[in-house]
Structure formats: structure tokens, C-alpha cells
Amino acid sequence: MTMQDVAEVAGVTARTVSNVVNDYPFVKKETRARVWDAIEQLGYTMNVSARGLKQGNTRLIALAIPDLTMPYFADLSDAVIAQAQAQGMSVIIEPTASSRQREQEALHRVKSQFAEGIIYCPLEIYQEELDQLSIGAPVVVLSEPIGQPKYDHVMIKNREAARAATEYLIRGGSRRIAAIGLGAGQHRGPAAQRLLGYRDALRINGINLDRHLEITTSAWHRSDGLQAVERLCKSHIPFDGIFAFTDQIAAGVLYALQVKGFKVPDDVAVIGFDNNDESQYLVPALTTVDPGIDEIAKCAVDNLIKRMSADKRQSPRVVTSVDFKLIKRQSTRS
Amino acid sequence: MTMQDVAEVAGVTARTVSNVVNDYPFVKKETRARVWDAIEQLGYTMNVSARGLKQGNTRLIALAIPDLTMPYFADLSDAVIAQAQAQGMSVIIEPTASSRQREQEALHRVKSQFAEGIIYCPLEIYQEELDQLSIGAPVVVLSEPIGQPKYDHVMIKNREAARAATEYLIRGGSRRIAAIGLGAGQHRGPAAQRLLGYRDALRINGINLDRHLEITTSAWHRSDGLQAVERLCKSHIPFDGIFAFTDQIAAGVLYALQVKGFKVPDDVAVIGFDNNDESQYLVPALTTVDPGIDEIAKCAVDNLIKRMSADKRQSPRVVTSVDFKLIKRQSTRS
DNA sequence: TTGTAGGCGTTATCAG
DNA sequence: CTGATAACGCCTACAA
């Protein structure tokens, strides 16, 4: 079933069929109609591999994220897909299960999945390593760059946002603020930045650090928040505020606090990070940091598409920073 | 940058390069090594469009869902991607925004996005219409079929599950049970089936229907659950149980009940549908129906791949039914 | 406004 | 085990 077949039925040549399906303007109305009829009649669909081969593009991009079942990444994926579709591109999603190996595979597989570029959310692969990989396709990285990165980056200011969140708790009267969500052994990446921002806030406001209030977790799930609170309680460490590194952690935290009989925000104020849709329906509704997902997605897709256009491959790397917002709800005192 | 270029550097022909990258076994070890070296050196990646053209496949499938930001569909997408990857396929996700037009577009665009088949979650397009569309690619539909469908279907027994959920509330002592989530004007689709199951349960247990307890919503979001409870309260309709058609609705319901001072499950027992991860961290943890997402995804992908293999295109349509489970938690009395 | 011819990068066929 | 050659289906100068 080729253009040739359609052409024969319509009584024209393949060239004309091509003109019709590609909306080339200078085709007689009547010819156009005959061709469309033939297409319908035969159930013809164009072979996109052939077109891709000829034109050298697929209009497909890849998006590598740690875990699609986490609301933040689902929202991000949705926003990326929307932005891409607005530019006539489709998106292949590749969850990496927060595994180093799967992240590497995702980067290497880009081309073999027909994608012309990739938006990459790193968790396990650090920038030095990333910058040494040879990927053979344009990349936009969603994280804070260090020094002169090899690829375009889109980021939010994790450290500043974390500081703003922590200071908001302090302004509400909290003095013993727990920070929940640093991964064991992590010294880099968003969680580490958020911890630094937390410490900044304490230092600037003259509050002593207490390492017992910095709770590491194995991941960023609700269960991690719940376990963190249990650990805090079990070791009898007093606390009157919690900065959860993600809203999912915060959801687990709120659950645990409720079960243990703490009043939020009176006994303990809680702030999250991500502004998931879910967070406004928690009880009490969660104060959180809105990272501006739509803006992140827009910048990422725009930059990737620019980079994909052949003439821009060598242009200087661009690092885009997206503004965050503090969303004030009922889980904190103001 | 073609195989030819690699071949010249490696001192072989393109044919040999092809054999190497495709793991054809009968290539001398030494030749193989030389070829890989050349590939590394040149940063060569195969042009998959060319291969697709030659072999007639892309190993890409599409997944059309209403909204990726809804946990159920994010979980489903994740499961479908995992299943597809296990079979060496990648997935293009197409959110249809619960819009009739976007659902149609998704179905028509399949091929033009390089996908060889599509898994389709209908919301707005009914089966008669779907069965008349000419799609030109294998389709697996995730919904209950009516009569003799044109395509393969994978379904859960919505009506039976809804009945089981409602009966569980009845067994817990609820008599005035609200059903929340039927779309305005919907007489078909999963919501309608769930309403029927709800009515079945009441009838079988000798409880009179009260249409005031059947609350329609515009969508299946948390906000819809919240508004439904407000509407119930405002019109002073007494109720002691709620069957929410999704866990997201239930989350909004629990929030509203908490705000209004109802005790769950003592004053009002609540049951949901979907078993989102979130639901076990709601306060109180939500009793719900687990539709078996992994099983659904596995059946969908398996059936689609079978259907894609040329010789199976004409085999009889298969309808797969996946079992549900009741997950009992603290939002209901037992 | 439509027809003709050639090539995009790969793999398959046939030799060797 | 490897080399040459011919498609795969489409697009685009160029020609008419």
C-alpha cells in the first residue's frame, strides 16, 4: 500500500498524491478530492519511516524521568507533552526507576527509539559523568548545572526555594525544624541543594543546626515521610516544624502526625515542595513551594527544539532558571 | 554519518557493520572489535528510519489516555511502559484531555507518529463510533465492550466491582449511601456501569433508591468530590455512606467531610475506586477497589503485540476481563 | 498544475 | 565469513 497504489486509483502520479497529503497548495480542487477518495477507499496511511528517512526527522523527542507514578513527574510529563504537541512533536516517555543503569540506557537509546533529542531528569547520574557520555543527540537537562555544563539546562533555584520555605516556618514561630528527604549518602542533586537552603535559613536567623533534625530517607515517597516522623518520635527529638523536600513526603508526614495526635500547624508546622494537585486536599491543606512546572516544560521543549535545528547544534549552552513561588495554605502559621 | 562511513574506517563493507550492530553471530571477533571501534570513534548511531523503512516496523506503540496528571492514568501509563519495554517496544503517550476531538485525533495520528498500534482509553467516544472509525492500525480498547466489538478489549467488571463496594458499605451498616461521580448526561462508560452496580447492591439488599443520593460531577477530580459533599450538605440530604467513583473523588470527599466535622467512618463510611498510592495515606486511610492495573497493562500490551504481528490481524477479537479486589482500610466499618 | 528520475541509509539476496 | 547490488516508500529538483 504505497503512494503509487493510491496514485493509480486516483489516476494521477505519486507526486500528486504526495502534494495532496502534504497540503501543497497548487493542486486542483478536483484532483485533490479524487486523491482523498482513493486514500479513504484504500485505507492508505503514509509510511513515516520513508518520509523520516528522506527528510531526516521524526518529530519525536524522548523524556527520561525517574518515576511516572510520582505526581511531580506525571505533571511534568503532562506539561512536556503539551508543549511538544504545540510544536508538532510527540513524546516518548522513559521511566528510569531512579536507577543509574536505566538512566544510562535511556540516554543511549534515544536515537534507536526514533527520538531526535531528549529531555533528561537526572537523579543518579551526576553532571561530570553525564558530560562525558557521548549521546549523539541534543539533550536538555533538568537540574542545576555545575560550572560550564556540556548541555543546555533548565533549573529551579532549589537552594533559594528551600531557604524561603524554611524561613517561612521560622517566621511562623518554629525553631526546631526538621528537614526530611536527603537521600543517604547524597552530596549533590536537588535534595542536597534543598538541605543547604534549609541550613542557610537557620544560620541567617540565628538558629543552631541540629543534625538530628536532618532526616535522611531512601526515596521521596509518602512512606518515607511517614517513617521519618516515626523515627523522630521514637528518638524523642523535639520538633515544631517540618520542611519536607517533596509534597509526597509531606503527605506521609501529615498522615503520621495526625495518627500520633500532633496538631498541625499548632504543634508542628509543615511545608512541602512541588505543589502537587493533591496537596491542597490534604488535611490541613499543605503550604508548599510551586516550582513552576509549566514554565520548566516550556523552556525545556523550546530549548531542545532550538538545539535540534541543525544550525544551532554548536551555539553556546544555555542555562535557564525558572522562578518558584511560595503557596501559603493551612499547614503553617503565618 | 552512515554505515558506509563506519565501514570505510573499519576496513569492511556496510553489510558487515550491519551484522555487527545487529549481533549477527557469524562475524570474526576481531572484525567485530574493529567495527565497534570505528563506531565509537565516529560517534555513529544508526538511522532508525532507514531500518524501519526496510523492515517495516518501528517498535513503537501509542497510548491514548484522558489525563496523565490523574494518578490512575499515570499508574496505568507507567505499567504499560514497563510491559512494553519488557517486549522491546517504546511508548508514545497522548493525553486526550477528555475531549472528544482529541480522542479522535489521537486515533487518527497513530501511524503518523511512527506507532504501529495504539492502546486506547476511551472517555468521550462510544464504541459504535469507535467501531466505525477507520484507524489503519491495531487497537486495544480499555473498556467494557458492547456486543461484538471491532477491536480487542481489556476491561474490569465495573458493575460487579461497584456492587461489591456498595455492599461492603451496607454490610458496615450504611443505609443512605451517596454515589458520587456520574458525569452529567452520561448513560454509558465506566461511570454509568458503576452507578448500575451501586443500584444493584441497594436493590438486592432491599434498600430504596434515592435519586438525591446520586450526585453527578463534571469530572473525576478531587475538587469534584469536595463540591459533591458541599452540595449534599447544602440540600440537607442525610447520608451515612459514600461510594466515590474514583479515589481522587474520595480524597476530595474526605477533605470536605473533615472540614465539615463529620467523623469517618463513624458518621459516614467512605469507599473509593482505583487504589491509588495516595489513598493509603489519606486520613483515614481509604477503603477502595483495586482494579489490577498491572494486569490490565500486561493484557493490553500482549494483545496489541499479538495483533500487530501480521498473521494475527484477522484473528477473532479477544475480550479480556481482569479481576478486581476490595482493599479494606480505615474509612469504612467492617 | 503534474510527471520523471534519483537517492535518503538499511537490510536481504546472491555470490564468493 | 564478507562483498556487491537491489530494493524499501517517499520527497524534490527539474522538466513539461
Side-chain angles (χ1 to χ4, degrees), chain B residues 33-87:
Chain B
R34 256 204 344 273
V35 170
W36 276 121
D37 281 349
I39 288 174
E40 288 282 315
Q41 182 190 326
L42 297 173
Y44 165 80
T45 55
M46 198 176 52
N47 181 322
V48 280
S49 291
R51 175 161 44 93
L53 173 58
K54 185 65 187 171
Q55 305 193 140
N57 68 41
T58 58
R59 305 204 68 73
L60 244 37
I61 61 178
L63 171 65
I65 49 166
D67 182 354
L68 192 52
T69 69
M70 292 172 71
Y72 175 78
F73 293 114
D75 291 352
L76 179 66
S77 303
D78 191 64
V80 166
I81 292 173
Q83 285 299 329
Q85 293 223 341
Q87 313 237 21

Coordinates of all heavy atoms in Angstrom, one line a residue, chain B residues 33-87:
Chain B
A33 N 35.4 -6.2 16.7 CA 36.0 -5.2 17.6 C 36.4 -4.0 16.7 O 36.2 -2.9 17.1 CB 37.3 -5.8 18.2
R34 N 36.9 -4.2 15.5 CA 37.3 -3.1 14.7 C 36.1 -2.3 14.4 O 36.2 -1.0 14.4 CB 38.0 -3.7 13.4 CG 39.5 -3.6 13.4 CD 40.1 -3.5 12.0 NE 39.4 -3.9 10.8 CZ 39.3 -5.2 10.4 NH1 39.9 -6.2 11.1 NH2 38.6 -5.5 9.3
V35 N 35.0 -2.9 14.1 CA 33.8 -2.2 13.7 C 33.3 -1.3 14.9 O 33.0 -0.2 14.8 CB 32.7 -3.1 13.3 CG1 31.4 -2.4 13.1 CG2 33.1 -3.8 11.9
W36 N 33.3 -2.0 16.1 CA 32.8 -1.2 17.3 C 33.8 0.0 17.5 O 33.3 1.1 17.9 CB 32.8 -2.1 18.5 CG 31.5 -2.9 18.6 CD1 31.4 -4.2 18.6 CD2 30.2 -2.3 18.7 NE1 30.0 -4.5 18.7 CE2 29.3 -3.4 18.7 CE3 29.6 -1.0 18.6 CZ2 27.9 -3.2 18.8 CZ3 28.3 -0.9 18.7 CH2 27.4 -2.0 18.8
D37 N 35.0 -0.2 17.3 CA 36.0 0.9 17.5 C 35.6 2.1 16.5 O 35.5 3.2 17.0 CB 37.4 0.5 17.2 CG 38.0 -0.3 18.4 OD1 37.4 -0.3 19.4 OD2 39.1 -0.9 18.2
A38 N 35.4 1.7 15.3 CA 35.1 2.7 14.3 C 33.8 3.5 14.7 O 33.6 4.7 14.6 CB 34.9 2.1 12.9
I39 N 32.8 2.7 15.2 CA 31.5 3.3 15.6 C 31.8 4.3 16.7 O 31.3 5.4 16.7 CB 30.5 2.2 16.0 CG1 30.1 1.4 14.8 CG2 29.4 2.8 16.8 CD1 29.2 0.2 15.2
E40 N 32.5 3.9 17.7 CA 32.8 4.8 18.8 C 33.5 6.0 18.3 O 33.1 7.1 18.7 CB 33.8 4.0 19.8 CG 33.2 2.9 20.6 CD 32.4 3.5 21.8 OE1 32.9 4.4 22.5 OE2 31.2 3.0 22.0
Q41 N 34.5 5.8 17.5 CA 35.4 6.9 17.1 C 34.6 7.9 16.3 O 34.8 9.1 16.5 CB 36.5 6.3 16.2 CG 37.4 7.3 15.6 CD 38.3 6.6 14.6 OE1 38.6 5.4 14.7 NE2 38.7 7.4 13.5
L42 N 33.6 7.5 15.5 CA 32.9 8.4 14.7 C 31.6 8.9 15.4 O 30.9 9.8 14.9 CB 32.5 7.7 13.4 CG 33.6 7.3 12.5 CD1 33.1 6.5 11.3 CD2 34.3 8.6 12.0
G43 N 31.3 8.2 16.5 CA 30.0 8.6 17.2 C 28.8 8.2 16.4 O 27.8 9.0 16.4
Y44 N 28.9 7.1 15.7 CA 27.8 6.7 14.8 C 26.6 6.2 15.5 O 26.7 5.5 16.5 CB 28.4 5.6 13.8 CG 27.3 4.9 13.1 CD1 26.7 5.4 12.0 CD2 26.9 3.6 13.5 CE1 25.7 4.7 11.3 CE2 25.9 2.9 12.9 CZ 25.3 3.5 11.8 OH 24.3 2.8 11.1
T45 N 25.4 6.7 15.1 CA 24.2 6.0 15.5 C 23.4 5.7 14.3 O 23.3 6.4 13.4 CB 23.4 6.9 16.4 OG1 23.1 8.1 15.7 CG2 24.0 7.2 17.8
M46 N 22.8 4.5 14.4 CA 22.1 4.0 13.2 C 20.9 4.9 12.9 O 20.2 5.4 13.8 CB 21.6 2.6 13.4 CG 21.2 1.9 12.1 SD 20.8 0.2 12.4 CE 19.6 0.4 13.7
N47 N 20.5 5.1 11.7 CA 19.3 5.8 11.2 C 18.2 4.8 11.3 O 18.0 3.9 10.5 CB 19.5 6.3 9.8 CG 18.3 7.1 9.4 OD1 17.2 6.7 9.7 ND2 18.5 8.1 8.6
V48 N 17.4 5.0 12.3 CA 16.3 4.0 12.5 C 15.2 4.2 11.5 O 14.4 3.2 11.2 CB 15.7 4.1 13.9 CG1 16.6 3.4 14.9 CG2 15.5 5.5 14.3
S49 N 15.1 5.3 10.9 CA 14.0 5.5 9.9 C 14.4 4.5 8.7 O 13.5 3.9 8.1 CB 14.0 6.9 9.4 OG 13.5 7.8 10.4
A50 N 15.6 4.5 8.4 CA 16.0 3.6 7.3 C 15.7 2.2 7.6 O 15.2 1.4 6.8 CB 17.5 3.8 7.0
R51 N 16.1 1.8 8.8 CA 15.8 0.4 9.2 C 14.3 0.1 9.2 O 13.8 -0.9 8.7 CB 16.4 0.1 10.6 CG 16.0 -1.3 11.0 CD 16.9 -1.9 12.2 NE 17.2 -0.9 13.2 CZ 16.5 -0.8 14.3 NH1 15.4 -1.6 14.5 NH2 16.8 0.0 15.3
G52 N 13.5 1.1 9.8 CA 12.1 1.0 9.8 C 11.5 0.8 8.4 O 10.6 0.0 8.2
L53 N 12.1 1.6 7.5 CA 11.6 1.5 6.1 C 11.9 0.1 5.5 O 11.0 -0.5 4.9 CB 12.3 2.6 5.3 CG 12.1 2.5 3.8 CD1 10.6 2.7 3.5 CD2 12.9 3.6 3.1
K54 N 13.0 -0.3 5.8 CA 13.4 -1.6 5.2 C 12.6 -2.8 5.9 O 12.1 -3.6 5.2 CB 14.9 -1.8 5.5 CG 15.5 -3.1 4.8 CD 15.4 -3.0 3.3 CE 15.8 -4.3 2.7 NZ 15.5 -4.3 1.2
Q55 N 12.5 -2.7 7.2 CA 11.9 -3.9 7.9 C 10.4 -3.7 8.1 O 9.8 -4.7 8.5 CB 12.6 -4.0 9.3 CG 14.1 -4.2 9.2 CD 14.7 -4.6 10.5 OE1 15.6 -5.4 10.5 NE2 14.1 -4.1 11.6
G56 N 10.0 -2.5 7.9 CA 8.5 -2.3 8.1 C 8.1 -2.3 9.5 O 6.9 -2.6 9.8
N57 N 8.9 -2.0 10.5 CA 8.4 -1.8 11.8 C 9.2 -0.8 12.6 O 10.3 -0.4 12.2 CB 8.5 -3.1 12.6 CG 9.9 -3.6 12.9 OD1 10.8 -2.8 13.2 ND2 10.2 -4.9 12.7
T58 N 8.6 -0.3 13.6 CA 9.2 0.8 14.4 C 9.4 0.5 15.9 O 10.1 1.2 16.6 CB 8.4 2.1 14.3 OG1 7.1 1.8 14.8 CG2 8.2 2.6 12.9
R59 N 8.7 -0.6 16.3 CA 8.7 -1.0 17.7 C 8.3 0.2 18.6 O 8.8 0.4 19.7 CB 10.1 -1.5 18.1 CG 10.6 -2.7 17.3 CD 11.5 -3.6 17.9 NE 11.0 -4.4 19.0 CZ 10.2 -5.4 18.9 NH1 9.8 -5.8 17.7 NH2 9.8 -6.1 19.9
L60 N 7.3 0.9 18.1 CA 6.7 2.0 18.9 C 5.2 1.8 19.0 O 4.6 1.4 18.0 CB 7.0 3.3 18.1 CG 7.9 4.4 18.7 CD1 9.0 3.9 19.5 CD2 8.4 5.3 17.6
I61 N 4.6 2.0 20.2 CA 3.2 1.9 20.3 C 2.7 3.2 20.9 O 3.4 3.9 21.6 CB 2.7 0.7 21.0 CG1 3.2 0.7 22.5 CG2 3.1 -0.6 20.3 CD1 2.7 -0.5 23.3
A62 N 1.4 3.5 20.7 CA 0.9 4.7 21.3 C -0.1 4.4 22.4 O -0.6 3.3 22.4 CB 0.1 5.5 20.2
L63 N -0.2 5.2 23.4 CA -1.2 5.1 24.5 C -2.0 6.3 24.6 O -1.4 7.4 24.9 CB -0.4 4.7 25.8 CG -1.3 4.7 27.1 CD1 -2.3 3.6 27.0 CD2 -0.4 4.6 28.3
A64 N -3.3 6.3 24.4 CA -4.1 7.5 24.5 C -4.9 7.4 25.8 O -5.7 6.4 26.0 CB -5.1 7.5 23.3
I65 N -4.7 8.4 26.7 CA -5.4 8.4 27.9 C -6.0 9.8 28.2 O -5.5 10.8 27.6 CB -4.4 8.1 29.1 CG1 -3.2 9.0 28.9 CG2 -4.1 6.6 29.2 CD1 -2.3 9.0 30.2
P66 N -7.0 9.9 29.0 CA -7.6 11.2 29.2 C -6.7 12.2 29.8 O -6.6 13.4 29.4 CB -8.8 10.9 30.1 CG -9.1 9.4 29.9 CD -7.8 8.8 29.6
D67 N -5.9 11.9 30.9 CA -5.2 12.9 31.6 C -4.1 12.3 32.4 O -4.3 11.6 33.4 CB -6.2 13.6 32.5 CG -5.5 14.8 33.3 OD1 -4.3 14.9 33.2 OD2 -6.3 15.5 34.0
L68 N -2.9 12.6 32.1 CA -1.7 12.0 32.7 C -1.6 12.5 34.2 O -0.9 11.8 35.0 CB -0.5 12.3 31.9 CG 0.8 11.6 32.3 CD1 0.6 10.1 32.3 CD2 1.9 11.9 31.3
T69 N -2.2 13.6 34.5 CA -2.0 14.1 35.9 C -2.9 13.4 36.8 O -2.8 13.7 38.0 CB -2.2 15.6 35.9 OG1 -3.6 15.9 35.7 CG2 -1.4 16.4 34.9
M70 N -3.8 12.6 36.4 CA -4.7 11.8 37.3 C -3.9 10.5 37.7 O -3.5 9.8 36.8 CB -6.0 11.5 36.6 CG -6.9 12.8 36.5 SD -8.4 12.5 35.5 CE -9.3 11.5 36.7
P71 N -3.8 10.3 39.0 CA -2.9 9.2 39.4 C -3.3 7.8 38.7 O -2.4 7.1 38.4 CB -3.2 9.1 40.9 CG -3.6 10.5 41.3 CD -4.3 11.0 40.1
Y72 N -4.5 7.6 38.5 CA -4.9 6.3 37.9 C -4.2 6.2 36.5 O -3.7 5.1 36.2 CB -6.4 6.1 37.8 CG -6.8 4.9 37.0 CD1 -6.8 3.7 37.6 CD2 -7.2 5.0 35.7 CE1 -7.1 2.5 36.9 CE2 -7.5 3.8 35.0 CZ -7.5 2.6 35.6 OH -7.8 1.4 34.9
F73 N -4.3 7.2 35.7 CA -3.7 7.1 34.4 C -2.2 7.2 34.4 O -1.6 6.6 33.5 CB -4.4 8.2 33.5 CG -5.8 8.0 33.3 CD1 -6.8 8.9 33.8 CD2 -6.3 6.9 32.6 CE1 -8.1 8.7 33.6 CE2 -7.6 6.7 32.4 CZ -8.5 7.6 32.9
A74 N -1.7 7.9 35.4 CA -0.2 7.9 35.5 C 0.3 6.5 35.8 O 1.2 6.0 35.2 CB 0.3 8.9 36.5
D75 N -0.4 5.8 36.7 CA 0.0 4.5 37.1 C -0.2 3.5 35.9 O 0.6 2.7 35.7 CB -0.9 4.0 38.3 CG -0.6 4.7 39.6 OD1 0.4 5.5 39.6 OD2 -1.3 4.5 40.6
L76 N -1.3 3.7 35.2 CA -1.6 2.8 34.1 C -0.5 3.0 33.0 O 0.1 2.1 32.5 CB -2.9 3.2 33.5 CG -3.3 2.4 32.2 CD1 -3.5 0.9 32.6 CD2 -4.6 3.0 31.6
S77 N -0.1 4.3 32.8 CA 0.9 4.6 31.8 C 2.2 4.0 32.2 O 2.9 3.3 31.4 CB 1.1 6.1 31.6 OG -0.1 6.7 31.3
D78 N 2.5 4.1 33.4 CA 3.8 3.5 33.9 C 3.8 2.0 33.7 O 4.8 1.4 33.2 CB 3.9 3.8 35.4 CG 5.3 3.5 35.9 OD1 6.3 4.1 35.5 OD2 5.4 2.6 36.8
A79 N 2.7 1.4 34.0 CA 2.6 -0.1 33.9 C 2.7 -0.5 32.4 O 3.3 -1.5 32.0 CB 1.3 -0.6 34.5
V80 N 2.0 0.3 31.5 CA 2.1 0.0 30.1 C 3.5 0.1 29.6 O 4.0 -0.7 28.8 CB 1.1 0.9 29.3 CG1 1.4 0.8 27.8 CG2 -0.3 0.5 29.6
I81 N 4.2 1.2 30.0 CA 5.5 1.4 29.5 C 6.4 0.3 30.0 O 7.2 -0.3 29.2 CB 6.1 2.8 30.1 CG1 5.4 3.9 29.4 CG2 7.6 2.9 29.8 CD1 5.7 5.3 30.0
A82 N 6.3 -0.2 31.2 CA 7.1 -1.2 31.7 C 6.8 -2.5 30.9 O 7.8 -3.2 30.5 CB 6.8 -1.5 33.2
Q83 N 5.6 -2.8 30.7 CA 5.3 -4.0 29.9 C 5.8 -3.9 28.5 O 6.4 -4.9 27.9 CB 3.7 -4.2 29.8 CG 3.1 -4.7 31.1 CD 3.7 -6.1 31.5 OE1 4.1 -6.9 30.6 NE2 3.8 -6.3 32.8
A84 N 5.7 -2.8 27.9 CA 6.1 -2.6 26.5 C 7.7 -2.7 26.4 O 8.2 -3.4 25.6 CB 5.7 -1.2 26.0
Q85 N 8.3 -2.1 27.4 CA 9.8 -2.2 27.4 C 10.3 -3.6 27.5 O 11.3 -4.0 26.9 CB 10.4 -1.3 28.5 CG 10.1 0.2 28.2 CD 11.3 1.0 28.5 OE1 12.3 0.6 29.2 NE2 11.4 2.2 28.0
A86 N 9.5 -4.4 28.3 CA 9.9 -5.8 28.5 C 9.8 -6.5 27.2 O 10.5 -7.6 27.0 CB 9.0 -6.4 29.5
Q87 N 9.0 -6.0 26.3 CA 8.9 -6.6 24.9 C 9.7 -5.9 23.9 O 9.4 -6.0 22.7 CB 7.4 -6.7 24.6 CG 6.6 -7.2 25.7 CD 5.8 -8.5 25.2 OE1 6.1 -9.2 24.3 NE2 4.7 -8.7 26.0

